[in-house]
Amino acid sequence: MIIIAILTGMVTGVLSGLLGIGGGAVLVASAVVFMGIGQHAAQAAALAAMIPTALVGVARHHRNKMINYRVIPFLAVGLMLGGVVGAYVANSISETLLRQIFSVFFAVMSMQMFWSSYKQAKKAKEASRTTDK
């Protein structure tokens, strides 16, 4: 299980750096499917594992002057309140329902991202046609 956890961490780190994702979906899915960890515990572990990833990301973005520090306090308040509410709700529902909500959320997000990238590619193709004339 240690090797699977390390490999999961590596894959999540690569995907986080490459795609700009937090990695929670990869960690949770891997923990549930490959490590036999329950959905509640997997989501809690993914949140805890994001702390070092976030710190590394903050340091890199700070160095590149990409952080708008004026909005951070407001985002932090919202994130903390949302985290408390989300954790409460997650702990109040069944493992099965939590897994279904998790799965539906990422399926919908995947479809939305695919659709928006399809529309973007179509616009780019149309733009290239008009500039070629």
Side-chain angles (χ1 to χ4, degrees), residues 2-103:
I2 292 172
I3 292 173
I4 292 172
I6 291 170
L7 288 173
T8 297
M10 289 176 61
V11 168
T12 301
V14 168
L15 291 174
S16 294
L18 178 67
L19 304 175
I21 62 171
V26 176
L27 286 175
V28 172
S30 179
V32 169
V33 174
F34 299 118
M35 294 183 248
I37 297 172
Q39 188 76 24
H40 289 94
Q43 288 183 202
L47 287 171
M50 289 299 108
I51 294 169
T53 304
L55 292 174
V56 169
V58 166
R60 297 284 298 165
H61 288 300
H62 171 75
R63 193 175 315 136
N64 293 327
K65 299 181 183 345
M66 298 294 295
I67 300 174
N68 181 346
Y69 285 99
R70 288 175 282 158
V71 300
I72 290 175
F74 305 107
L75 290 172
V77 168
L79 286 165
M80 288 187 285
L81 292 172
V84 168
V85 171
Y88 176 80
V89 171
N91 288 315
S92 300
I93 61 177
S94 72
E95 183 101 2
T96 302
L97 180 58
L98 183 60
R99 189 176 297 182
Q100 290 169 341
I101 292 169
F102 181 87
S103 301

Side-chain angles (χ1 to χ4, degrees), residues 108-122:
V108 169
M109 292 303 297
S110 296
M111 289 185 289
Q112 188 278 329
M113 290 185 74
F114 178 78
W115 181 249
S116 66
S117 66
Y118 170 77
K119 290 191 309 187
Q120 186 177 14
K122 188 175 176 182

Side-chain angles (χ1 to χ4, degrees), residues 17 22 29 31 41-42 46 57-58 71 73 75-76 94 104-106 118 125-126 128:
V58 166
V71 300
L75 290 172
S94 72
V104 168
F105 173 77
F106 283 104
Y118 170 77
K125 191 174 184 179
E126 289 171 3
S128 72

